[in-house]
Amino acid sequence: MASQGRLLLVEDDRSLAELITFHFEREGYAVTRTGDGEEALLLAEEVRPDLMVLDWMIEGISGIEVCRRLRRRPATSNLPILMLTARGEEDDRIRGLETGADDYITKPFSPKELVARAAAVLRRVRPALAAQTLDYAGLEMDIAAHRVKRDGKTLSLGPTEYRLLRHFLEHPGRVFSRQQLLETVWPHSEEIELRTVDVHIRRLRLALGEPDLIRTVRSAGYALDADGVAN
């Protein structure tokens, strides 16, 4: 089954968290979970999830405050957030949405509906994550088959180069610093150095061939850009 993305679940009811985790993992999501608001803020930076399911009433700081703080941080300001809560009053729903939640579901709920609503949020907020293929400037990545072609020719990529290219294809034209790429492509490797990013960028460029699609932005980082020329 193709990966549907990384989910950060913030829910302090263990039995409910296990139920939600089961349904999301069955659909191909990689789930990280916590029941603590402070830890949720840390994990949002460390895991770089594609989606957060956030309960309003959790340990430590509230879910609504977690949402507010995430929206203030540049690294998480666009993180899709689906708020989960027992609060069903209209004023509470409006407050949650105004704070920055992308959708809102009240308890009790159907786990299947929750997964469907989460998928809908991803399709709306990050269309690339809902696609089975990513295309850009003659590049085609088949996520389900784990295969990459350029102008119809199959490319041979190592695992790290594949992850780098997928990240670039999900955000074409956007410049990423070496640190951002390090945290995204090597999220759990604390001993990796920044220069490692440069090594794998060079390998990716060799695999992609000419003309060069990876643009180097001095003092900033790299971008997948069909109009860019490496420096």
Side-chain angles (χ1 to χ4, degrees), residues 6 13 25 30 66 87 105 109 114 120 137 140 171 177 179 189 212:
R6 298 179 298 274
D13 182 326
E25 288 183 340
V66 169
R87 295 172 177 263
I105 189 168
F109 59 88
L114 176 61
E140 180 180 340
H171 309 86
S177 69
Q179 185 64 41
S189 300
D212 192 357

Side-chain angles (χ1 to χ4, degrees), residues 29-176:
Y29 290 84
V31 181
T32 301
R33 78 189 204 203
T34 179
D36 181 82
E38 293 287 354
E39 187 176 21
L41 291 170
L42 294 174
L43 288 172
E45 297 278 358
E46 294 174 1
V47 176
R48 296 298 177 109
D50 299 306
L51 171 72
M52 174 183 282
V53 173
L54 174 64
D55 192 357
W56 184 308
M57 301 299 291
I58 52 176
E59 297 176 8
I61 61 176
S62 68
I64 201 80
E65 180 61 22
V66 169
C67 184
R68 182 179 291 110
R69 294 187 191 184
L70 289 174
R71 290 292 177 248
R72 291 173 179 170
R73 298 178 178 180
T76 56
S77 61
N78 294 318
L79 171 64
I81 298 174
L82 194 158
M83 188 156 282
L84 180 66
T85 180
R87 295 172 177 263
E89 296 299 324
E90 181 180 11
D91 288 347
D92 291 326
R93 293 197 300 270
I94 292 173
R95 183 183 174 197
L97 294 171
E98 288 181 343
T99 302
D102 295 285
D103 201 357
Y104 193 104
I105 189 168
T106 57
K107 302 175 183 178
F109 59 88
S110 160
K112 290 183 179 180
E113 180 187 358
L114 176 61
V115 173
R117 295 274 286 273
V121 168
L122 281 177
R123 286 195 299 270
R124 184 172 71 249
V125 179
R126 295 186 178 180
L129 290 173
Q132 290 301 301
T133 60
L134 300 172
D135 301 280
Y136 179 78
L139 282 173
E140 180 180 340
M141 175 177 283
D142 186 326
I143 296 172
H146 209 79
R147 183 180 297 117
V148 179
K149 294 182 179 181
R150 182 172 187 184
D151 298 325
K153 181 181 178 181
T154 299
L155 303 181
S156 178
L157 298 179
T160 302
E161 287 71 47
Y162 180 91
R163 292 196 302 271
L164 266 174
L165 181 58
R166 176 171 178 174
H167 185 65
F168 281 131
L169 284 169
E170 288 174 347
H171 309 86
R174 179 177 169 182
V175 178
F176 291 95

Side-chain angles (χ1 to χ4, degrees), residues 1-29:
M1 178 182 293
S3 173
Q4 299 301 313
R6 298 179 298 274
L7 169 70
L8 177 55
L9 171 61
V10 188
E11 170 59 66
D12 60 357
D13 182 326
R14 175 173 290 186
S15 60
L16 179 57
E18 290 176 351
L19 179 64
I20 293 172
T21 298
F22 169 78
H23 281 273
F24 273 98
E25 288 183 340
R26 189 171 65 175
E27 294 300 317
Y29 290 84

